Amino acid sequence: MSKPLWIKHATQLATLATKQEGPRSKEAMSELGLIEDGSLWIENGIIQAVGTTKDIEKQYEKRLTEAEVYDAKGLLVTPGLVDPHTHVVYGGSREREFEMRLEGATYMEIMNEGGGIHATARMTREATEEELIEQTSKRLDSFLQHGVTTVEGKSGYGMDLETELKQLRVMKKLQKEHAIDLVSTFMGAHAVPFEYKGKEDEFVTYLIDEMLPLVAREKLAEFNDVFCEKGVYTPAQSERILEAGKTYGLIPKIHADEIEPYGGAELAAKVGAISAEHLLKVSEEGMIKMAEGNVIACLLPATALYLREEAAKGRKMIDAGVPVAISTDCNPGSSPTTSMPLVMNLACISMRLTPAEALTAATYNAACAINRQQVIGSLEVGKLADIVVWKVSDYRELQYLFGVNHVKAVWKKGVQVVNQE
Ligand code: NIG
Ligand code: FE
């Protein structure tokens, strides 16, 4: 048995603990459960006690000298950040497309000409499993360096059976080998493969009959996602895919209303999706339906910035009662970043979330978006000791001093994985 870990004297300990279960909306998004001069007592990777340093000194009076001590005086301590939406497993890169967009081409034009998702699909098909593991592992290291301790990852750069399974198996292996926790989503309907252009329904049938059963049999994913967008999959096709996934126990997610309003948010509520993603062009009706159905809006302000689009209406969604989470959308086309701290900055700057809401969106609500709120997302007794110490003393500084990595130390399940001076 390893020594207990005692993190003490945190100037501000943002526990994110509240009584409310499930995703937080409205005022609950501002409840950070702040403790001044806070302490955490950790054993076997699990949080055993949370309180003021005085509380912990009293509770563990007889065992204080047993512990390995980390003094967080002058520092902010939060739960490990959670990234609930990434496309982290991919081959190659697309810097030429970045230039092309600056020269005036649009994201959809590039994709329709065989670039974009199709280009990455070609490079991912060519890559071996070992190459994908090596490249993805480096990105996961970078996530840890930015204070992220759990990452969702999607397939979708194959759109053929072999490559989809390859991507998901890479995630399964990395879940075992890498310190970070990875949560898998099947996204075979990420684009329409060229050979199925104009025959989308046929591909949907193929995906349902041939791909989903194998994904389920090997237990390769927990979630099922689809790019519901004009020129990609219609709401009706998306519904077929998501309903079929449900019969295998896969929880629906939807890339919705990113480029045009297309009924994606409405569909998310209809099929009982755990979250709808992007939502730059969500309709009023869609927003109301999401609030009623408690569907989490997973917003991706770095993607909007990178595509030079106006960000999603995060402020309006929170005010309308939609629970909001945020994510990097880490992918080689529309958001090649692993920086959740930057995403928190942008959530404030471009979507007008408050610093407190942005922190909730990147921790507790993000955990809810991947159905992990029972074990991560807040610092509470019984939860995993996924913890970040930041080189600032107040949570507002995290969002205020922007574009900077403030991470000082990270623990994953009680093991220190980042230590920066
Ligand atoms: O979430 N919108 C679709 N999918 C990704 C982009 C993937 C890519 O361009 O490679 C997204 O932004
Ligand atoms: Fe995405």
Side-chain angles (χ1 to χ4, degrees):
M1 272 223 285
S2 56
K3 271 184 161 190
L5 167 66
W6 178 22
I7 299 175
K8 67 175 184 178
H9 290 315
T11 295
Q12 204 175 61
L13 175 63
T15 64
L16 276 290
T18 70
K19 294 264 176 303
Q20 193 193 323
E21 281 190 19
R24 291 175 193 159
S25 50
K26 292 205 162 165
E27 292 79 22
M29 281 194 70
S30 305
E31 291 170 22
L32 299 184
L34 294 179
I35 301 175
E36 278 175 32
D37 191 7
S39 267
L40 293 164
W41 186 274
I42 291 126
E43 285 182 65
N44 303 319
I46 305 291
I47 299 169
Q48 306 294 329
V50 186
T52 62
T53 301
K54 273 207 182 105
D55 292 337
I56 301 298
E57 279 170 350
K58 214 164 142 201
Q59 192 176 342
Y60 286 91
E61 205 181 341
K62 298 205 175 69
R63 296 185 56 205
L64 292 179
T65 53
E66 269 178 49
E68 181 190 329
V69 176
Y70 187 97
D71 194 332
K73 193 161 191 294
L75 305 171
L76 165 72
V77 177
T78 71
L81 304 181
V82 177
D83 192 334
H85 175 146
T86 82
H87 307 256
V88 69
V89 184
Y90 60 84
S93 69
R94 302 198 331 241
E95 57 282 339
R96 173 61 196 135
E97 284 180 17
F98 177 60
E99 266 180 344
M100 284 163 72
R101 280 200 306 276
L102 296 176
E103 288 157 12
T106 69
Y107 181 79
M108 284 312 243
E109 277 164 11
I110 294 170
M111 173 157 144
N112 290 334
E113 281 159 22
I117 295 172
H118 299 292
T120 298
R122 280 193 298 278
M123 294 185 270
T124 307
R125 284 174 193 164
E126 278 162 22
T128 64
E129 208 169 295
E130 291 66 36
E131 285 164 348
L132 287 178
I133 287 177
E134 198 192 321
Q135 290 161 17
T136 307
S137 190
K138 286 190 190 140
R139 282 174 214 128
L140 297 178
D141 292 344
S142 175
F143 272 112
L144 281 177
Q145 296 291 334
H146 287 89
V148 179
T149 46
T150 302
V151 169
E152 182 260 17
K154 302 174 198 296
S155 69
Y157 287 131
M159 299 167 290
D160 61 20
L161 185 57
E162 196 188 326
T163 317
E164 289 295 312
L165 294 179
K166 180 168 72 178
Q167 275 190 279
L168 293 170
R169 286 181 190 133
V170 162
M171 280 191 262
K172 202 168 181 178
K173 281 214 174 121
L174 283 166
Q175 167 59 12
K176 287 204 189 105
E177 290 167 10
H178 200 280
I180 216 162
D181 270 320
L182 256 177
V183 174
S184 295
T185 298
F186 171 60
M187 197 178 179
H190 192 194
V192 180
F194 267 104
E195 53 283 21
Y196 283 95
K197 264 271 164 267
K199 297 186 285 186
E200 287 78 7
D201 283 317
E202 261 178 54
F203 182 70
V204 171
T205 303
Y206 171 71
L207 184 149
I208 292 172
D209 292 348
E210 308 295 331
M211 291 183 165
L212 274 178
L214 287 183
V215 171
R217 196 174 73 197
E218 278 191 49
K219 294 194 175 29
L220 288 172
E222 285 176 54
F223 301 94
N224 186 21
D225 200 341
V226 45
F227 193 6
C228 178
E229 193 72 47
K230 199 164 182 188
V232 195
Y233 293 97
T234 63
Q237 289 159 344
S238 304
E239 187 172 352
R240 276 181 69 202
I241 292 170
L242 297 174
E243 286 296 342
K246 276 161 67 176
T247 66
Y248 293 102
L250 297 178
I251 302 171
K253 283 180 172 283
I254 312 183
H255 280 59
D257 307 315
E258 178 182 359
I259 293 156
E260 290 187 33
Y262 200 45
E266 291 85 337
L267 177 63
K270 185 175 173 198
V271 299
I274 194 163
S275 63
E277 337 282 305
H278 289 283
L279 301 167
L280 303 194
K281 305 285 161 63
V282 67
S283 69
E284 289 284 330
E285 175 72 6
M287 215 183 287
I288 292 165
K289 288 263 161 64
M290 283 181 65
E292 284 168 2
N294 217 17
V295 180
I296 298 168
C298 185
L299 305 181
L300 315 166
T303 311
L305 177 76
Y306 206 71
L307 296 179
R308 295 184 302 121
E309 294 287 339
E310 204 176 309
K313 295 182 177 57
R315 171 80 273 130
K316 198 169 169 189
M317 289 187 209
I318 293 176
D319 294 342
V322 180
V324 168
I326 52 176
S327 156
T328 60
D329 192 19
C330 173
N331 75 73
S334 63
S335 189
T337 182
T338 48
S339 180
M340 276 296 280
L342 174 67
V343 170
M344 287 198 288
N345 300 151
L346 294 175
C348 298
I349 298 163
S350 41
M351 304 198 300
R352 291 180 48 226
L353 268 62
T354 65
E357 289 167 344
L359 188 56
T360 299
T363 53
Y364 184 80
N365 274 6
C368 291
I370 51 171
N371 201 20
R372 287 290 191 282
Q373 69 274 21
Q374 303 298 339
V375 278
I376 54 170
S378 60
L379 300 173
E380 294 179 86
V381 173
K383 284 196 168 183
L384 296 184
D386 290 2
I387 300 160
V388 185
V389 175
W390 305 88
K391 295 177 207 167
V392 294
S393 57
D394 184 301
Y395 71 89
R396 284 168 293 201
E397 285 177 86
L398 267 191
Q399 333 300 12
Y400 159 68
L401 299 166
F402 94 114
V404 179
N405 187 4
H406 299 289
V407 169
K408 183 166 171 64
V410 179
W411 286 264
K412 177 66 194 172
K413 295 179 185 145
V415 176
Q416 188 164 6
V417 287
V418 176
N419 184 11
Q420 290 180 4
E421 279 324 303

